[in-house]
Amino acid sequence: LPSLSSVRMARARRERERNMEEKEKVKEKRQLPASFRVLRGADASRGRGVERCLATRTDDAGVDVDQLNQTAKKERIQALTEQLKHDLMLVRNTFDNPIFTNALIAGDVVILDVLHKCGLLGGGENTIPVVFMDTLHLFNET
């Protein structure tokens, strides 16, 4: 008869092998398709052990997916900017005395930029006055 310790050792060995197999399966599932190139990000070079996948992918037809994504992003931003310009001009032409309140948050800065591009700033007859609100959280630079 095998001793109790040899039975325990055999069970422990089988358990370790099972765990290793499961880890390999998980690792295989995490692997990126061959069409991706994995680059180490800044965090990995600092010893944090983080890998970032910077999408440099091409499909089977040789199309650069990253370039398509960048083009789509630029077109979307341009379309949204044009829509915002249209809406701001509509507000200017619809209401008697519109004002734009601004607390210098990200969205306000975008709208302020588009107001400038539309020529709606500057103090003329067809301009929109900007009212800055001090939220007591502004940096000294603002």
Side-chain angles (χ1 to χ4, degrees):
L1 290 175
S3 68
L4 185 57
S5 61
S6 64
V7 171
R8 287 182 182 160
M9 288 174 53
R11 274 190 202 155
R13 185 177 58 247
R14 283 194 303 269
E15 186 67 28
R16 279 193 306 271
E17 289 171 358
R18 210 173 307 129
N19 287 340
M20 291 298 288
E21 289 172 3
E22 288 176 14
K23 286 181 183 179
E24 288 297 320
K25 287 178 185 178
V26 169
K27 188 176 180 181
E28 287 173 8
K29 288 180 183 178
R30 286 187 188 166
Q31 286 183 347
L32 296 170
S35 59
F36 278 92
R37 184 175 56 159
V38 177
L39 302 175
R40 299 234 180 244
D43 291 338
S45 65
R46 292 188 189 125
R48 294 186 187 153
V50 176
E51 280 188 5
R52 292 186 180 156
C53 174
L54 304 177
T56 54
R57 182 174 68 148
T58 57
D59 67 2
D60 294 336
V63 176
D64 187 0
V65 176
D66 294 330
Q67 184 62 36
L68 289 175
N69 287 338
Q70 289 297 325
T71 302
K73 182 179 178 180
K74 287 178 185 176
E75 290 173 356
R76 183 169 186 261
I77 289 172
Q78 184 178 9
L80 290 171
T81 303
E82 291 301 318
Q83 179 65 45
L84 181 57
K85 285 181 182 180
H86 175 268
D87 293 343
L88 291 173
M89 294 303 287
L90 182 66
V91 166
R92 176 68 214 130
N93 296 328
T94 303
F95 298 100
D96 292 334
N97 296 312
I99 64 168
F100 174 58
T101 56
N102 187 337
L104 294 177
I105 60 173
D108 292 349
V109 175
V110 171
I111 294 171
L112 188 62
D113 180 55
V114 175
L115 281 170
H116 173 71
K117 289 178 181 176
C118 291
L120 296 174
L121 296 177
E125 187 174 311
N126 289 325
T127 60
I128 297 177
V130 178
V131 177
F132 289 95
M133 297 186 310
D134 188 357
T135 60
L136 303 177
H137 295 287
L138 298 176
F139 296 104
N140 292 333
E141 294 82 8
T142 58

